């Protein structure tokens, strides 16, 4: 960047670099003096962030919580005091049990996940907006500098054509002007490169935040919102291409009794087990989501209803053959089953119609004795 300027003189007053770029020599000095204090801020921020990260790790270890992304987020929200609801819930749980139990931590995560994600997304969006404003300002300043530089060169060329001493002075100033412009260009390139790195990091943060916002914290599956978004896109494509599409609505049988008899911790393990069974058995061309509670949805893209029903029934049969035992007490848990309703996309129906038919088939399976799979529209 340009550091020295030729002394001003009456002959150069109208041609000074300061007047060309609309700034004073004091402004450059001031900026260079302020720069070190500005650059020191990220370092102090990094130290604070690292300290909080270490405290989060110690928090998880103290309460014997697995180092999962959701537990780290819970510890971050609690220790950082970012969400009063999280702080109050964790404090109440510790006061009651002496430590933060795994099942209680999961309940807190589930009850606050949407709020935390929304706040995080809002913050990241604001950061992106500020970065874009800064980029626009930098581009605008660069255009203004380039225009001033071009106009100054035009005046210098006219002075050179005139010859004599004015031409010599014009040549000297044009050299100084060119050095200054080179410095400004290099500085703009550096700042744009820094902004590019920041935007790349921000893009990763946004992708991670979106993944958190669209994931069920307990099972890791797509949540209801994410599943419905995926279903809408798949339905539009299936309608356009004329390919089949089916959806399965699955519900764990007597899940309330499991929670009542064995506790929510066991219930959470059952939910994870069923989620894993659906993912493993549905196939690579299927998309599994948790609709809420003990309900799951499976999207079969390019597959007819009967074939989808066969896959779900195979999963149901395999799951019902497992004999489960409590990990903590060794007490037999019996078997876990689920009921399911299948609907294949019909011409002219929307997302709501299709899910409603699958839901009706599910409740028909429940009323028929549970632990079975029924296809909508079939007796």
């Amino acid at each position: 960047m340009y550091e020295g300027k030729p002394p001003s003189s009456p002959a150069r007053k109208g041609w000074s670099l300061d007047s060309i770029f609309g700034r004073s020599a004091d402004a450059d000095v001031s900026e260079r003096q302020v720069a070190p204090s500005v650059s020191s801020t990220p370092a102090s921020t990094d130290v604070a962030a690292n300290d909080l990260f270490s405290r989060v790790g110690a928090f998880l270890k103290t309460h014997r919580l697995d180092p999962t992304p959701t537990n780290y987020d819970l510890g971050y929200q609690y220790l950082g005091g970012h969400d009063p609801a999280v702080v109050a819930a964790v404090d109440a749980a510790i006061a009651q049990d002496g430590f933060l139990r795994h099942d209680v931590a999961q309940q807190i995560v589930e009850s606050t996940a949407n709020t935390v994600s929304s706040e995080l997304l809002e913050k990241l969006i604001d950061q992106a907006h500020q970065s874009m404003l800064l980029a626009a300002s930098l581009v605008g300043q660069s255009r203004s500098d380039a225009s001033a530089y071009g106009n100054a060169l035009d005046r210098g060329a006219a002075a050179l054509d005139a010859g004599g001493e004015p031409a010599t002075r014009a040549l000297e100033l044009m050299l100084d002007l060119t050095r200054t412009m080179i410095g400004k260009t290099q500085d703009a390139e550096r700042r744009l490169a820094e902004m590019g790195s920041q935007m790349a990091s921000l893009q990763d943060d946004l992708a991670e935040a979106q993944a958190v916002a669209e994931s069920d914290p307990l099972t890791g599956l797509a949540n209801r919102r994410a599943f419905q978004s995926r279903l809408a896109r798949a339905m539009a494509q299936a309608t356009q291409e004329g390919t089949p599409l089916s959806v399965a609505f699955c519900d764990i049988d007597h899940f309330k009794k499991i929670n009542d008899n064995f506790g929510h911790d066991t219930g959470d393990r059952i939910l994870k087990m069923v989620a894993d069974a659906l993912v493993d058995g549905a196939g690579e061309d299927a998309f599994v989501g948790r609709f809420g509670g003990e309900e799951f949805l499976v999207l079969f893209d390019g597959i007819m209803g009967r074939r989808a029903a066969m896959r779900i029934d195979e999963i149901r049969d395999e799951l019902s053959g497992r004999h489960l035992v409590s990990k903590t007490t060794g007490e037999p848990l019996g078997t876990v089953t689920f009921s399911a309703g299948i609907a294949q996309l019909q011409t002219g129906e929307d997302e709501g119609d299709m899910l409603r038919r699958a839901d009706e088939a599910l409740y028909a399976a429940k009323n028929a004795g549970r632990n079975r799979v029924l296809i909508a529209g079939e007796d």
Side-chain angles (χ1 to χ4, degrees), residues 29-169:
V29 174
S30 175
E31 285 183 3
R32 286 195 294 273
Q33 290 174 342
V34 171
S37 63
V38 173
S39 62
S40 65
T41 302
S44 60
T45 303
D46 290 342
V47 171
N50 289 336
D51 178 64
L52 180 57
F53 183 79
S54 299
R55 291 168 56 205
V56 170
F59 171 81
L60 298 184
K61 185 176 181 180
T62 298
H63 298 282
R64 300 191 296 277
L65 296 174
D66 295 332
T68 62
T70 53
N71 283 339
Y72 263 105
D73 183 62
L74 177 63
Y76 173 78
Q77 297 298 330
Y78 174 67
L79 296 175
H82 302 290
D83 190 330
V86 171
V87 174
V90 172
D91 284 342
I94 295 175
Q96 178 177 338
D97 300 316
F99 69 101
L100 182 59
R101 299 195 339 250
H102 165 77
D103 58 326
V104 177
Q106 293 304 310
Q107 292 174 20
I108 295 174
V109 167
E110 287 191 35
S111 64
T112 60
N114 290 337
T115 301
V116 171
S117 298
S118 298
E119 290 177 354
L120 178 59
L121 283 172
E122 183 178 351
K123 182 181 295 185
L124 292 173
I125 290 171
D126 181 64
Q127 291 176 358
H129 179 65
Q130 295 299 325
S131 295
M132 286 187 289
L133 288 178
L134 181 58
S137 175
L138 180 59
V139 170
Q141 183 61 48
S142 297
R143 290 179 60 185
S144 176
D145 289 346
S147 176
Y149 178 60
N151 292 334
L153 288 181
D154 288 340
R155 293 196 299 272
L160 288 175
D161 291 339
E165 186 174 348
T168 302
R169 293 176 180 172

Side-chain angles (χ1 to χ4, degrees), residues 154-359:
D154 288 340
R155 293 196 299 272
L160 288 175
D161 291 339
E165 186 174 348
T168 302
R169 293 176 180 172
L171 183 59
E172 291 176 359
L173 182 57
M174 290 172 68
L175 289 174
D176 290 335
L177 183 63
T178 300
R179 293 191 187 99
T180 300
M181 194 62 194
I182 291 173
K184 284 180 171 291
T185 302
Q186 292 174 341
D187 183 55
E189 289 177 352
R190 176 185 58 78
R191 294 176 63 188
L192 284 172
E194 291 175 354
M195 291 174 57
S197 299
Q198 293 173 1
M199 292 297 290
S201 176
L202 183 60
Q203 185 176 16
D204 292 339
D205 291 341
L206 283 169
E208 182 178 354
Q210 183 177 7
V212 171
E214 295 183 349
S215 298
D216 171 56
L218 177 63
T219 63
L221 298 177
N223 61 19
R224 179 173 181 169
R225 179 177 60 183
F227 185 91
Q228 290 181 311
S229 177
R230 175 70 172 265
L231 176 61
R233 295 195 303 270
M235 288 180 64
Q237 183 175 356
T239 300
Q240 181 179 1
E241 299 178 358
T243 54
L245 183 144
S246 302
V247 66
F249 220 138
C250 308
D251 184 280
I252 301 175
D253 297 326
H254 303 297
F255 184 71
K256 185 178 184 302
K257 290 184 178 180
I258 295 175
N259 277 333
D260 292 342
N261 294 335
F262 303 105
H264 288 283
D265 190 34
T266 298
D268 286 348
R269 292 193 177 96
I270 296 298
L271 288 170
K272 292 179 182 178
M273 181 186 70
V274 174
D276 292 341
L278 289 171
V279 171
D280 294 340
E284 294 183 357
D285 49 0
F287 182 74
V288 185
R290 184 182 177 192
F291 199 69
E294 64 271 27
E295 294 180 323
F296 298 87
L297 280 167
V298 186
L299 170 64
F300 293 95
D301 200 355
I303 296 176
M304 301 185 70
R306 285 185 175 273
R307 180 59 182 167
M310 290 176 60
R311 290 194 189 180
I312 293 296
D313 197 53
E314 289 175 357
I315 300 170
R316 179 206 58 77
D317 185 62
E318 188 276 331
L319 192 64
S320 64
R322 301 182 188 182
H323 298 283
L324 307 178
V325 177
S326 172
K327 290 179 62 176
T328 55
T329 66
E331 181 183 1
L333 301 178
T335 59
V336 173
T337 65
F338 68 82
S339 304
I342 310 294
Q344 181 177 328
L345 179 62
Q346 296 180 345
T347 302
E349 77 174 341
D350 59 20
E351 172 192 341
D353 294 333
M354 186 181 186
L355 289 179
R356 183 174 60 254
R357 290 194 301 112
D359 188 50

